[in-house]
Amino acid sequence: MVVVTGQNKVSGNPDDAMSSSDAEDDFQEPATPTATQAGQALPLLPQQFPEVVPLNVGGMYFTTRLSTLRRYEDTMLAAMFSGRHYIPTDAEGRYFIDRDGTCFGDILNFLRSGDLPPRERVRSVYKEAQYYSIGPLLDNLEDIQPLKGEKVRQAFLGLMPYYKDHLERIIEIAKLRAMQRKARFAKLKVCVFKEEMPITPYECPHFNSLRFERSESETKLFEHHCEVDVSFGPWEAVADVYDLLHCIVTDLSDRGITVDHQCIGVCDKHLINHYYCKRPIYEFKITWW
């Protein structure tokens, strides 16, 4: 009895026959991708964008024209939406930018019509403009308050040797003392002096001449370290001691640190003859909670 199977009839010519292993290899490594594989692959570049672009910036939704995003060609937004880069989309088809969207509306308003943000948002928008590399917006923001004043302040602080290091030292000392004493606050002494040479009541009228007539060896007699935790100075600028104190308190406050200060006297260290240090000493009180 002949049993008929479902296999195809094999040609009698051995050259035309295909072995099962050859067929398996041919099936496992197809010459072209299958439809399933093609669907899983990333879209081919360049990416095409509509004229009206829906955006999802960190969970906040915006809609703008493609030409607005490309307003300044040297910006990150222009590069992102140039078609040279793949931009993912959310479930609703909005193009997704993984960035806080709080100030993105201000970014778009500048790209649309050159509008600048209100003063209370200038610093935040400046930070976003740096991220998106929007040079014209950065230039405009730097020319208004509070950034314009900050540039002047930083020019003054540039005269202060180790200014940032001294701020960190104030914080570290205050933290250690509060922890050691299990206290809510800590106090430390800070010296802030503008002039290198000592000043006494009877020295002031002749201070300038005394300053330049002293020899190098005599000048060294006046060099000392006041018995304080941190010392700022000297510097040469119109800004005085109170200006630097304002900078110190402002920068500490910007870091969330509550600080009070008061002058508690001067350094009374005797240097030579009738000269005393007379640098002002301030008590800083850092409150931690």
Side-chain angles (χ1 to χ4, degrees):
M1 181 172 67
V2 178
V3 178
V4 180
T5 67
Q7 296 178 342
N8 294 331
K9 184 177 179 182
V10 180
S11 170
N13 188 345
D15 294 335
D16 296 335
M18 180 185 294
S19 68
S20 60
S21 61
D22 290 340
E24 252 181 43
D25 290 341
D26 191 63
F27 176 78
Q28 292 174 351
E29 299 179 6
T32 57
T34 64
T36 303
Q37 290 173 325
Q40 294 174 348
L42 291 176
L44 297 176
L45 299 178
Q47 189 174 11
Q48 299 297 318
F49 297 101
E51 181 62 28
V52 177
V53 182
L55 298 169
N56 177 346
V57 184
M60 299 182 69
Y61 305 143
F62 303 90
T63 303
T64 189
R65 292 174 63 93
L66 181 61
S67 58
T68 299
L69 297 172
R70 296 175 176 176
R71 177 63 53 88
Y72 299 103
E73 61 181 13
D74 293 333
T75 67
M76 181 184 290
L77 286 173
M80 291 171 65
F81 290 90
S82 64
R84 301 191 303 270
H85 307 281
Y86 173 70
I87 309 298
T89 57
D90 63 12
E92 302 298 326
R94 304 182 187 92
Y95 294 97
F96 181 72
I97 299 176
D98 193 10
R99 189 76 179 170
D100 186 356
T102 304
C103 295
F104 194 75
D106 294 307
I107 298 291
L108 286 181
N109 286 337
F110 177 79
L111 294 177
R112 288 165 177 155
S113 54
D115 292 343
L116 297 176
R119 181 174 177 178
E120 62 270 16
R121 291 207 299 272
V122 165
R123 293 182 186 275
S124 299
V125 175
Y126 186 83
K127 180 179 178 181
E128 293 304 296
Q130 286 180 310
Y131 175 79
Y132 293 113
S133 301
I134 306 176
L137 177 54
L138 291 172
D139 293 339
N140 278 272
L141 292 176
E142 288 175 356
D143 201 37
I144 62 176
Q145 288 289 58
L147 294 183
K148 188 171 185 177
E150 181 63 18
K151 288 178 67 175
V152 177
R153 192 178 80 98
Q154 290 299 327
F156 163 57
L157 291 178
L159 302 174
M160 299 297 109
Y162 311 110
Y163 175 76
K164 292 184 178 179
D165 293 337
H166 291 341
L167 285 183
E168 294 297 330
R169 182 168 174 77
I170 288 175
I171 296 172
E172 285 301 314
I173 292 175
K175 182 178 70 174
L176 285 174
R177 288 181 181 171
M179 293 179 66
Q180 289 171 354
R181 300 171 184 175
K182 309 299 187 293
R184 188 166 67 93
F185 62 87
K187 295 180 179 180
L188 60 159
K189 293 180 180 180
V190 178
C191 177
V192 181
F193 65 101
K194 182 177 179 179
E195 304 291 349
E196 181 66 51
M197 294 298 181
I199 299 176
T200 60
Y202 44 85
E203 188 182 6
C204 288
H206 308 288
F207 176 72
N208 289 333
S209 61
L210 288 169
R211 179 177 183 180
F212 292 106
E213 288 176 1
R214 291 170 181 159
S215 65
E216 183 178 349
S217 59
E218 290 174 331
T219 300
K220 290 183 178 180
L221 295 174
F222 296 95
E223 294 179 355
H224 78 288
H225 297 286
C226 302
E227 295 180 358
V228 295
D229 298 297
V230 182
S231 186
F232 291 85
W235 68 89
E236 293 184 4
V238 174
D240 59 20
V241 168
Y242 299 103
D243 296 320
L244 182 57
L245 284 170
H246 181 272
C247 291
I248 296 171
V249 173
T250 297
D251 288 335
L252 290 175
S253 299
D254 286 345
R255 297 181 61 171
I257 297 173
T258 303
V259 53
D260 297 303
H261 70 281
Q262 62 178 344
C263 185
I264 58 174
V266 296
C267 177
D268 58 358
K269 185 173 181 179
H270 179 252
L271 301 179
I272 183 175
N273 296 332
H274 57 277
Y275 294 110
Y276 293 82
C277 175
K278 301 301 180 183
R279 293 172 181 171
I281 306 298
Y282 294 85
E283 181 182 75
F284 273 53
K285 179 181 177 182
I286 307 294
T287 303
W288 291 106
W289 83 85

